[in-house]
Amino acid sequence: MGRNDRKRRTPLATKAIAASAALALGGGGLLWAQMNASAHESNSGQNETKAAAASAQVATIACPDVGQQLTNVPQKARQGVAVELANLDKQITEAYARLASTRQAQANDASFVQNAIVGPLKEKRAATIDRIRIDIQRVGGSVNATALKQLAACTTQNATNTTTAGRGGGRGNGGKGGGKNNGGGQNTAAPSASASASAAPPANNGGQAGNGPVAADFVDITKVANNVLAKPQNSGQASTGTFTTKCGVNANKNHNTDNVIVAPGVTNGAHHEHDYVGNQKVNAFSTNDSLLAAPSSCQNQSDLSSYYWPVVRVQDGSQEFDANADGGGKEGNVGKILTAQSATIKYVGSPAAKVVAMPQFLRIITGDAKTLTNGLANANAHWSCTGFESKVQLTEQYPICPQGSNVVRTFAFQSCWDGVNIDSANHRTHVAFADPASGVCGNGFKAIPQLTMSLVYKITPPTLQADGTVKNAYAVDGFPEQLHKPSTDHDDFISVTKNNLAAKIANCINAGKQCQ
């Protein structure tokens, strides 16, 4: 399978979760289980003042992402496992809320975080993870119970360790794959292409809700070196056409905090608001049949696909409709929700092969909502400004755009499919990125039309204050413990079509036409 072996610096949170160990589920599937280091290092030998100060600087909680390790869950167990994975997410958000609301207690007692937050969280996670084991084994699947159990422990992360040096990530003009295996994303930039991050975050993690963003999360795009590399050369078998579908910008404000791909049947499974265009009846309880029966915002009414992404907010003190709701203000997602000025949804071809039609109900997630604690292996966030898209793409910082320029979010989804599955247990292994140098799909995967998206927002440029705060900060919604980092941006898609549209899209692209 194609991969980009360019090495990146590993975020400190990922290092804190410690080394990897192999964990096998039935069928020979090799999983990488993150083995946790001690959840909280002893403060023995330090004076009380230093210990209290260190405890008060704890910024967030880093837990192994159990769902990404489960690559071979039997089909009959997936619904039950999905519910338990959603419970793990809920436990982390609740623990983070307790962390954020007990700063005085942490300052008074250096062991408070371990005894009152991290320790109880581990116990809850251990019970939930054991239920996952039971769900898998009940239907005949196999699991290394010892290795799975070791994913229960979480670490804490200090305020000075919550950001890595800001680095750009380039889209390579065509959204080529980068990173490792199935998750790397579009990154093809040189590792030193972006300006460095500035000040460390303040103790309260910045932002209107106290969980980001901070000054280090922003950069003046005019001071960033060009970092977008050339796309692969087309071969004689290239599919050079495009198919554009016009589905609007969610002007009707169709939002919810569900995620039917990752957490089917679980209300607030995303813990942040999504914008929806295309299919208009998408929630945690949607089924293939209900998606087929729903209306669409697309001009082409044969396109019932669901295109959804986290909202962007300006943290201007506004109290949105969800200010007191789960997934909104109760989980640190605050400020005015912005509607994109434009949303361009386009399917493009492969430089190396003809494409096959997307299968009905194919699900793809691109990017990773938990990069602060997972690291950048699956990151596929790309931020830029109008007029700079072909020159600069940022993954770990939000751009500050010059006058007359607008913020742009760009996505290019995985363009290789295993030819069999419309989803996988971790929602990644059934699709992959093509090799970034050649555009070839590896391991017998087939080229499919690559979904690309460009979202443009009119945002008053943030200003960085001397004290490390940001005036007019904007940020993407996310899990509260992820501190609204730019790299957590992600996008979701379910392919649903009628009247042979999927084949028409593939035929258009293979014929080298530009269709709508």
Side-chain angles (χ1 to χ4, degrees):
M1 189 176 304
R3 60 182 293 173
N4 180 353
D5 289 323
R6 178 176 61 78
K7 297 186 181 297
R8 299 173 177 171
R9 288 173 286 173
T10 305
L12 294 173
T14 307
K15 293 179 181 178
I17 295 180
S20 297
L23 176 143
L25 289 178
L30 182 64
L31 308 182
W32 291 101
Q34 292 175 310
M35 309 286 289
N36 259 272
S38 170
H40 186 78
E41 294 184 1
S42 170
N43 284 313
S44 60
Q46 298 180 5
N47 63 54
E48 184 176 352
T49 301
K50 289 184 178 180
S55 179
Q57 288 292 314
V58 170
T60 195
I61 299 168
C63 300
D65 189 346
V66 177
Q68 292 306 306
Q69 317 308 320
L70 301 177
T71 61
N72 200 18
V73 177
Q75 187 66 46
K76 291 181 179 179
R78 288 189 185 178
Q79 178 60 45
V81 169
V83 170
E84 298 302 345
L85 292 174
N87 285 335
L88 291 175
D89 284 338
K90 183 178 179 181
Q91 291 161 8
I92 297 171
T93 61
E94 290 173 344
Y96 178 81
R98 181 160 175 75
L99 179 73
S101 65
T102 56
R103 294 301 184 189
Q104 188 58 54
Q106 296 166 43
N108 294 337
D109 179 1
S111 64
F112 180 87
V113 173
Q114 171 62 26
N115 294 338
I117 300 176
V118 176
L121 176 60
K122 179 181 178 181
E123 293 178 4
K124 291 180 181 179
R125 283 173 58 84
T128 303
I129 290 171
D130 195 52
R131 291 196 294 272
I132 290 174
R133 175 192 63 79
I134 292 170
D135 283 343
I136 293 171
Q137 292 180 337
R138 182 182 291 127
V139 299
S142 62
V143 59
N144 184 328
T146 300
L148 190 62
K149 184 178 180 180
Q150 289 171 330
L151 300 177
C154 301
T155 63
T156 57
Q157 189 176 349
N158 289 345
T160 54
N161 293 343
T162 55
T163 57
T164 55
R167 302 185 300 284
R171 189 164 59 87
N173 296 328
K176 301 183 295 296
K180 294 183 178 181
N181 203 6
N182 298 307
Q186 308 154 280
N187 241 322
T188 55
S192 61
S194 174
S196 296
S198 54
N204 71 351
N205 300 330
Q208 183 177 332
N211 69 331
V214 296
D217 294 325
F218 294 87
V219 65
D220 180 347
I221 199 167
T222 66
K223 297 180 180 178
V224 180
N226 293 355
N227 64 359
V228 177
L229 304 183
K231 63 183 180 180
Q233 293 293 318
N234 288 335
S235 74
Q237 293 298 311
S239 46
T240 59
T242 66
F243 187 98
T244 301
T245 184
K246 297 182 178 180
C247 302
V249 295
N250 196 29
N252 58 325
K253 302 188 184 302
N254 183 2
H255 301 298
N256 66 44
T257 63
D258 299 343
N259 191 332
V260 69
I261 298 177
V262 175
V266 179
T267 302
N268 192 40
H271 297 272
H272 52 263
E273 294 286 354
H274 284 128
D275 275 317
Y276 289 88
V277 301
N279 201 291
Q280 292 296 286
K281 296 291 184 181
V282 186
N283 57 44
F285 306 99
S286 297
T287 64
N288 290 344
D289 288 342
S290 70
L291 293 173
L292 272 174
S296 174
S297 69
C298 300
Q299 288 184 10
N300 185 337
Q301 287 294 293
S302 293
D303 187 358
L304 296 173
S305 297
S306 177
Y307 309 92
Y308 62 103
W309 55 82
V311 302
V312 170
R313 302 184 195 237
V314 172
Q315 295 186 358
D316 60 358
S318 296
Q319 299 295 305
E320 271 283 5
F321 70 93
D322 61 349
N324 297 310
D326 289 338
K330 286 176 66 174
E331 298 187 61
N333 293 308
V334 297
K336 181 181 179 182
I337 294 176
L338 300 179
T339 300
Q341 285 194 317
S342 66
T344 302
I345 302 174
K346 181 184 295 186
Y347 296 88
V348 301
S350 163
K354 301 301 182 184
V355 298
V356 300
M358 283 187 177
Q360 187 79 312
F361 307 122
L362 176 69
R363 283 134 165 95
I364 308 179
I365 297 173
T366 198
D368 185 356
K370 301 176 182 177
T371 55
L372 180 64
T373 49
N374 284 350
L376 297 175
N378 290 325
N380 198 14
H382 288 82
W383 299 87
S384 191
C385 302
T386 53
F388 291 81
E389 303 101 307
S390 63
K391 304 174 183 177
V392 178
Q393 294 286 334
L394 302 167
T395 294
E396 295 184 71
Q397 288 177 292
Y398 296 113
I400 298 175
C401 301
Q403 185 175 3
S405 179
N406 294 322
V407 173
V408 184
R409 298 164 76 184
T410 305
F411 301 96
F413 283 67
Q414 295 88 319
S415 60
C416 303
W417 169 53
D418 68 7
V420 177
N421 299 291
I422 60 170
D423 201 359
S424 49
N426 67 354
H427 314 294
R428 293 192 186 277
T429 54
H430 64 300
V431 289
F433 288 95
D435 180 83
S438 66
V440 173
C441 292
N443 291 350
F445 278 46
K446 303 174 184 295
I448 56 175
Q450 183 177 38
L451 172 61
T452 67
M453 298 179 63
S454 177
L455 309 173
V456 179
Y457 297 84
K458 186 174 180 60
I459 299 176
T460 301
T463 55
L464 310 183
Q465 309 298 301
D467 62 358
T469 59
V470 186
K471 183 178 180 180
N472 200 56
Y474 70 91
V476 66
D477 260 22
F479 291 94
E481 77 280 358
Q482 298 297 314
L483 307 185
H484 296 289
K485 295 303 176 188
S487 60
T488 63
D489 200 12
H490 56 283
D491 206 348
D492 303 80
F493 167 68
I494 305 173
S495 180
V496 188
T497 57
K498 297 190 301 185
N499 302 319
N500 208 32
L501 179 60
K504 292 176 181 177
I505 293 172
N507 291 338
C508 169
I509 291 171
N510 287 334
K513 298 178 181 179
Q514 283 69 52
C515 308
Q516 293 187 9

